Amino acid sequence: MTERDQEARLRAVVDTAVDGVILIDARGNIQMFNPACARLFGYTADEVLGRNVNMLMPAPYRTEHDQYIANYHRTGERKIIGIGREVMGQRKDGSVFPMELSVGEARQGGEAIFVGVLHDVTERYKAEQALRESAARLAAVVDTAVDGVILIDARGVVQMFNPACERLFGYRAEEVLGQNVKMLMPSPYRDEHDQYVSNYHRTRVRKIIGIGREVVGQRKDGSIFPMELSVGEAKQEGGSIFVGVIHDITDRKRVMEQLVQAQKMEAVGQLAGGIAHDFNNLLTI
């Protein structure tokens, strides 16, 4: 294969590449600008060839670029060459977008030349931003929830403990995170919990997961209180995680007990009234 054939093949690869390929000389002037770069930045090759590559950068990178090249030639210190990183590019219309830039160095005619491969990560950036915003919204919901929300991993270790849980159990989150959730349970539930988790992983028989039930919790001060616990299961990185929602029913239990007591007293009153009535009837006879 002749040198001309090799060059033609290389040109075909560069021109049909999905990612942008740009070649600059030791002074930062653009020597090659492939069609993918043209689509990416909105410039034709003729508009950029021979010009400084900093025209494709937004401030403050634009003003810093020449200094960076000078420092590299003087010190040999690499901040991006041979490493790659996420940077920002600026299109012809002034809009800015994120891209992954990897830069390689070669020698041509005794001088350094630099080849940059550019990959537009706008969609990934949007997805990550949406994920961050979703996580922030979820965190806001969890942190402001009236009910306790607790997250444990497959081993029963607490991964999240919201402010409502802190108020409910009297522990700060940092006292609970990384600890086994059974610390929040009184005996005998504390002793049985690890066995229950183990049995669930082995048999998949649900006694509370996906069902919910009334249980008791134990505060930091040792006091015990009734609560409704509903537990959901999800998958994360191939393993199970469990989200528990905890509702303190102390007041409701107290009201129910008072109601039961009142009903008992009413029944006693009715019984006493009936006995008195019968007794009066006997006296009358």
Side-chain angles (χ1 to χ4, degrees):
M1 183 184 298
T2 66
E3 185 175 336
R4 180 174 296 179
D5 291 336
Q6 290 178 336
E7 183 179 350
R9 288 191 175 185
L10 179 60
R11 172 61 65 178
V13 170
V14 170
D15 287 349
T16 58
V18 175
D19 289 336
V21 180
I22 188 169
L23 173 66
I24 65 171
D25 62 20
R27 295 174 298 280
N29 295 326
I30 300 171
Q31 303 298 313
M32 184 179 69
F33 195 74
N34 78 334
C37 274
R39 293 190 297 271
L40 196 57
F41 289 95
Y43 290 100
T44 64
D46 292 338
E47 291 178 290
V48 299
L49 292 177
R51 298 181 62 182
N52 194 296
V53 71
N54 64 14
M55 69 181 289
L56 305 176
M57 306 172 187
Y61 310 106
R62 178 174 297 186
T63 53
E64 297 170 355
H65 184 260
D66 289 344
Q67 186 62 39
Y68 165 69
I69 289 183
N71 288 341
Y72 172 66
H73 287 311
R74 187 179 70 255
T75 67
E77 181 184 356
R78 298 183 171 195
K79 293 184 178 179
I80 189 171
I81 296 170
I83 303 169
R85 62 190 293 186
E86 187 173 308
V87 297
M88 302 301 290
Q90 182 170 301
R91 300 185 182 93
K92 183 178 180 178
D93 63 9
S95 60
V96 175
F97 66 98
M99 61 184 186
E100 283 183 348
L101 171 62
S102 56
V103 180
E105 181 183 10
R107 310 297 294 186
Q108 186 177 59
E111 282 194 340
I113 58 171
F114 304 98
V115 179
V117 178
L118 317 173
H119 180 67
D120 184 0
V121 294
T122 301
E123 293 306 317
R124 190 185 76 189
Y125 188 83
K126 287 179 180 178
E128 290 174 349
Q129 181 66 21
L131 185 61
R132 286 192 293 269
E133 291 174 357
S134 176
R137 287 193 295 269
L138 178 59
V141 170
V142 170
D143 288 347
T144 59
V146 174
D147 289 337
V149 180
I150 187 169
L151 173 67
I152 67 171
D153 64 18
R155 301 180 303 278
V157 176
V158 180
Q159 304 296 318
M160 184 179 70
F161 195 74
N162 79 332
C165 276
E166 292 181 315
R167 295 189 295 271
L168 197 56
F169 289 94
Y171 288 100
R172 298 189 310 277
E174 53 266 31
E175 295 179 282
V176 180
L177 296 177
Q179 304 295 319
N180 193 296
V181 71
K182 66 185 180 183
M183 69 182 288
L184 306 175
M185 305 172 187
S187 295
Y189 309 106
R190 176 178 298 188
D191 307 319
E192 297 170 354
H193 183 260
D194 289 344
Q195 186 63 39
Y196 166 68
V197 172
S198 176
N199 287 342
Y200 172 67
H201 287 311
R202 188 178 69 255
T203 67
R204 308 305 291 180
V205 175
R206 299 183 170 195
K207 293 184 178 179
I208 188 172
I209 297 168
I211 303 168
R213 62 188 295 184
E214 185 177 309
V215 296
V216 291
Q218 182 170 300
R219 300 185 181 93
K220 184 178 181 179
D221 64 8
S223 59
I224 295 172
F225 66 98
M227 63 186 190
E228 281 184 347
L229 173 63
S230 57
V231 180
E233 181 183 10
K235 295 294 182 182
Q236 186 179 59
E237 298 177 356
S240 292
I241 56 172
F242 304 96
V243 179
V245 178
I246 300 164
H247 180 67
D248 184 0
I249 57 173
T250 301
D251 291 338
R252 190 178 78 187
K253 294 284 285 187
R254 185 182 299 117
V255 169
M256 290 177 64
E257 288 172 0
Q258 290 172 348
L259 180 60
V260 170
Q261 187 64 27
Q263 290 173 337
K264 287 181 179 178
M265 293 302 294
E266 182 181 359
V268 170
Q270 290 175 347
L271 179 60
I275 292 172
H277 178 72
D278 293 343
F279 187 66
N280 285 336
N281 287 338
L282 288 172
L283 291 177
T284 301
I285 293 171

